Amino acid sequence: MDIACNDSLNCDVCRTKTDSETSIPLIVENNRTDCLICKAEVEYLDKAIREKCYYCGVEEETYFICKNFHYVCNKCHSREALEIIENICLSTDQDDPFAIAERIMEHPAIHMHGPEHHALVPAVLVAAYKNYRGLKKETAVLEAIKRGKTVPGGYCGLYGACGAGIGVGIAICVLLKATPMTPSERSDANWATSDTLNSIANAGGARCCKKAVRISLEEGMSYLSERFDLDWYEKTATAIKCNYTQYNKECDRNCRYRDDA
């Protein structure tokens, strides 16, 4: 099954609402950077405060809160998104991770920024690689999502390691069955993560989950292709033009993915 949606109002695979004339998923205003509750600007703090999640009521420390004091925890922020990532990655037979990722990010459940991208990267990379090699993927994809969703939002600026970049390491660990006690596989995962974080850092700009996802997939594909002597990376078009500039108030004018770059 391909990832293309049909002409029905709601796609059975990804539950994306489609335009009945073009069958192209609609990017809606959920892909904005503002508060999910009131659409006010979200403030990023350098010291944690304790707040209750607006939806589930859990009280915990957070570095993010909107100007009207609304807080949404990581689980509530990404719950529906994780279902979409799982559905699409398990259903598609695509071996192009960029095509899979762009389709997922078009879905209204995937916000402009958020921790769901930390699960998206390893899930997409694992699914595309398994499809390319003609291997069964369900167990590996589910494990990639399980690990990726544990990386909190804001990791790039609070802990010095972008969650999308960490997602590449997660994918390598899953694919190579790495553990802390497997020297070679553990090194592979750390090298892949290091290469990816280096590229994300060199790209500059404020946080942009869309840019981080694309860089991470490119680096992950390159590493796996070299590791297993594949032509997978060379055969895949990596030139992406971004549709999210209008939703990202901090969009980097020098970003190579910008449509006007």
Side-chain angles (χ1 to χ4, degrees), residues 24-42:
I24 299 174
L26 305 176
I27 299 174
V28 298
E29 67 174 10
N30 273 14
N31 280 309
R32 303 196 314 174
T33 61
D34 301 327
C35 174
L36 302 183
I37 311 303
C38 66
K39 307 304 180 186
E41 185 177 350
V42 175

Side-chain angles (χ1 to χ4, degrees), residues 8-252:
S8 62
L9 182 61
N10 293 286
C11 172
D12 292 333
V13 175
C14 63
R15 291 184 286 170
T16 297
K17 291 184 178 180
T18 60
D19 183 314
S20 60
E21 294 183 357
T22 63
S23 300
I24 299 174
L26 305 176
I27 299 174
V28 298
E29 67 174 10
N30 273 14
N31 280 309
R32 303 196 314 174
T33 61
D34 301 327
C35 174
L36 302 183
I37 311 303
C38 66
K39 307 304 180 186
E41 185 177 350
V42 175
E43 296 183 338
Y44 295 81
L45 313 174
D46 58 3
K47 291 184 179 179
I49 59 174
R50 293 196 68 83
E51 289 291 338
K52 286 186 177 180
C53 175
Y54 178 88
Y55 290 113
C56 69
V58 65
E59 183 175 341
E60 59 187 9
E61 288 191 338
T62 177
Y63 291 88
F64 321 109
I65 191 168
C66 89
K67 290 186 175 181
N68 292 323
F69 304 102
H70 293 132
Y71 167 62
V72 179
C73 72
N74 282 291
K75 287 184 178 180
C76 287
H77 190 289
S78 59
R79 179 171 293 142
E80 184 182 1
L82 294 174
E83 294 179 4
I84 300 305
I85 293 168
E86 178 182 325
N87 287 346
I88 294 179
C89 286
L90 292 182
S91 299
T92 183
D93 60 4
Q94 276 268 6
D95 61 14
D96 180 348
F98 297 98
I100 302 173
E102 294 299 323
R103 177 52 55 87
I104 291 173
M105 291 191 296
E106 288 174 343
H107 195 282
I110 312 296
H111 304 288
M112 180 64 218
H113 307 293
E116 58 265 34
H117 296 85
H118 305 163
L120 187 157
V121 167
V124 166
L125 200 54
V126 167
Y129 174 82
K130 291 282 190 177
N131 286 341
Y132 180 80
R133 300 294 298 269
L135 304 171
K136 293 182 179 180
K137 64 184 176 181
E138 181 174 356
T139 300
V141 168
L142 294 178
E143 183 63 27
I145 294 173
K146 178 182 176 181
R147 298 184 193 183
K149 72 180 183 181
T150 66
V151 183
Y155 225 65
C156 57
L158 296 173
Y159 297 89
C162 173
I166 294 173
V168 173
I170 291 172
I172 302 297
C173 285
V174 170
L175 291 172
L176 299 185
K177 295 180 168 44
T179 76
M181 302 303 292
T182 55
S184 177
E185 292 80 2
R186 174 180 175 277
S187 291
D188 273 313
N190 279 275
W191 280 325
T193 304
S194 175
D195 289 347
T196 306
L197 292 178
N198 187 62
S199 292
I200 291 172
N202 285 335
R207 61 87 172 88
C208 177
C209 289
K210 308 307 182 192
K211 177 167 68 173
V213 163
R214 293 163 182 148
I215 293 173
S216 297
L217 292 178
E218 187 168 347
E219 291 292 337
M221 278 191 76
S222 176
Y223 194 91
L224 286 168
S225 295
E226 183 176 352
R227 173 69 165 74
F228 293 107
D229 194 23
L230 306 173
D231 59 2
W232 184 34
Y233 178 75
E234 286 71 19
K235 285 186 173 181
T236 304
T238 59
I240 305 293
K241 289 301 181 182
C242 186
N243 295 317
Y244 299 93
T245 298
Q246 62 181 311
Y247 301 108
N248 185 7
K249 290 178 286 189
E250 297 82 31
C251 184
D252 181 10

